[in-house]
Amino acid sequence: MIDQLPDNLKHWVLISDALKRPETVRFTASAEECAEIAKLYSLPDVTAFSFEIEVEAWRKQGLRLKGDLKAEVIQSCVVTLEPVPGTIREEMDICFLPEGASRGRQVEASGKEIMIDPEAEDPPEILTGNRLDVATPAFEHFALALNPYPRLEGAHLPDTEDEDEDDGRESPFAALKGLQGQLKS
């Protein structure tokens, strides 16, 4: 993951302008930007990356980002380390409210159990300052959409029991298996 997005990949929107009228932010990464994205996420390659996000007013003082993210990536197979192509298609829908705004019903944790509904709508993010970087949430969605264990079709780890038999060595667990029989008697 990245701590902070480089300035050349950020796309700022003035909050006051977006509250007055919706804005659409479109970004298609150049070859150099794709290489930078691949480096940021420790990927062998990113061959395409783009997003289109509609920014509109939400609850009078907040903003809503709704859009699509598309990417074509190359990851390393967790078994063979060979390249694994992947396609990412993500829909985004994120709401933001200013720091002091009411966020709806609050749950107090006074030593009691807190019930969280995983299917419930996410709480709004916090807006700070007078502008919002629309690219950062897009890159967060990208990071979460990456396959954590990319694997080539048909790639599998060798069976360790077969390896032990093939090279003629006895498994270190064979001695334990003999002890197991003695314990039962």
Side-chain angles (χ1 to χ4, degrees), residues 9-177:
L9 295 177
K10 293 183 178 183
H11 289 78
W12 296 99
V13 171
L14 284 174
I15 294 170
S16 58
D17 289 350
L19 287 171
K20 292 175 192 169
R21 67 187 173 287
E23 289 186 41
T24 301
V25 178
R26 292 178 185 87
F27 172 68
T28 301
S30 66
E32 294 82 19
E33 290 165 330
C34 283
E36 185 172 2
I37 295 166
K39 185 177 177 184
L40 281 171
Y41 291 94
S42 302
L43 298 170
D45 198 9
V46 173
T47 56
F49 184 95
S50 65
F51 60 77
E52 182 172 324
I53 300 171
E54 183 77 21
V55 183
E56 60 188 11
W58 182 72
R59 289 193 185 172
K60 295 182 183 177
Q61 52 187 336
L63 293 179
R64 181 178 193 177
L65 277 54
K66 195 171 186 177
D68 298 306
L69 163 74
K70 298 173 186 170
E72 298 293 329
V73 299
I74 304 293
Q75 293 182 272
S76 296
C77 175
V78 295
V79 177
T80 65
L81 298 180
E82 292 181 48
V84 179
T87 300
I88 294 174
R89 301 280 184 266
E90 285 289 307
E91 289 184 14
M92 296 174 44
D93 191 354
I94 308 167
C95 296
F96 292 82
L97 281 175
E99 224 168 337
S102 171
R103 289 181 161 45
R105 192 172 56 128
Q106 298 290 323
V107 178
E108 290 189 28
S110 57
K112 297 180 181 176
E113 214 174 290
I114 298 175
M115 302 302 283
I116 298 174
D117 180 6
E119 300 297 321
E121 204 172 286
D122 288 337
E125 301 288 330
I126 297 174
L127 273 176
T128 55
N130 63 350
R131 59 189 189 148
L132 173 67
D133 172 29
V134 177
T136 295
F139 279 98
E140 288 172 355
H141 273 70
F142 171 72
L144 291 171
L146 287 170
N147 184 345
Y149 304 105
R151 183 182 286 214
L152 279 174
E153 189 173 322
H156 64 282
L157 292 172
D159 188 9
T160 54
E161 289 181 24
D162 291 344
E163 279 184 4
D164 291 339
E165 292 172 11
D166 289 345
D167 65 9
R169 291 185 297 171
E170 188 175 333
S171 167
F173 297 105
L176 292 174
K177 194 170 192 172

